[in-house]
Amino acid sequence: MNQILIQGYTIEQLAEALKPLFETQTPLEQQQLENPLLTRDEVCKLLSFNKTSLWKHTKSGKLKSYGIGNKVFYKRSEVLEAVKPINH
């Protein structure tokens, strides 16, 4: 077994030293908080779709898209809600 022995620190000091490790967000989590809109490429990557499948799901109404200028976006929360499994 691998063991780490720490001497000379109280539990509170150790907790304070480790706190930044648990509070930091990954770049992906940070991006999700900052940008609730996804591009078509981001949705395809998130759902492992190609653009044809994304277009079909958008056209059928399963996914709702938003046009801003000549660009198409999807709300992250709506995309994630659309792929939640339905429990019967």
Side-chain angles (χ1 to χ4, degrees), residues 6 29-30 38 47 73 83:
I6 301 175
E29 290 171 333
Q30 187 66 28
L38 301 173
L47 301 179
F73 294 96
V83 297

Side-chain angles (χ1 to χ4, degrees), residues 14-25:
L14 180 60
E16 190 64 33
L18 294 176
K19 191 175 182 180
L21 295 175
F22 296 107
E23 289 180 346
T24 58
Q25 296 175 337

Side-chain angles (χ1 to χ4, degrees), residues 6-67:
I6 301 175
Q7 294 180 349
Y9 287 97
T10 65
I11 296 286
E12 291 79 16
Q13 290 171 327
L14 180 60
E16 190 64 33
L18 294 176
K19 191 175 182 180
L21 295 175
F22 296 107
E23 289 180 346
T24 58
Q25 296 175 337
T26 64
L28 180 59
E29 290 171 333
Q30 187 66 28
Q31 177 191 8
Q32 289 173 353
L33 293 174
E34 292 174 357
N35 187 8
L37 296 178
L38 301 173
T39 64
R40 288 184 294 172
D41 289 332
E42 291 170 331
V43 174
C44 287
K45 186 176 179 181
L46 179 67
L47 301 179
S48 299
F49 277 175
N50 59 34
K51 286 187 180 179
T52 303
S53 296
L54 179 62
W55 178 82
K56 287 179 183 178
H57 287 294
T58 303
K59 195 75 169 165
S60 72
K62 292 178 185 174
L63 292 172
K64 182 173 171 132
S65 64
Y66 299 88

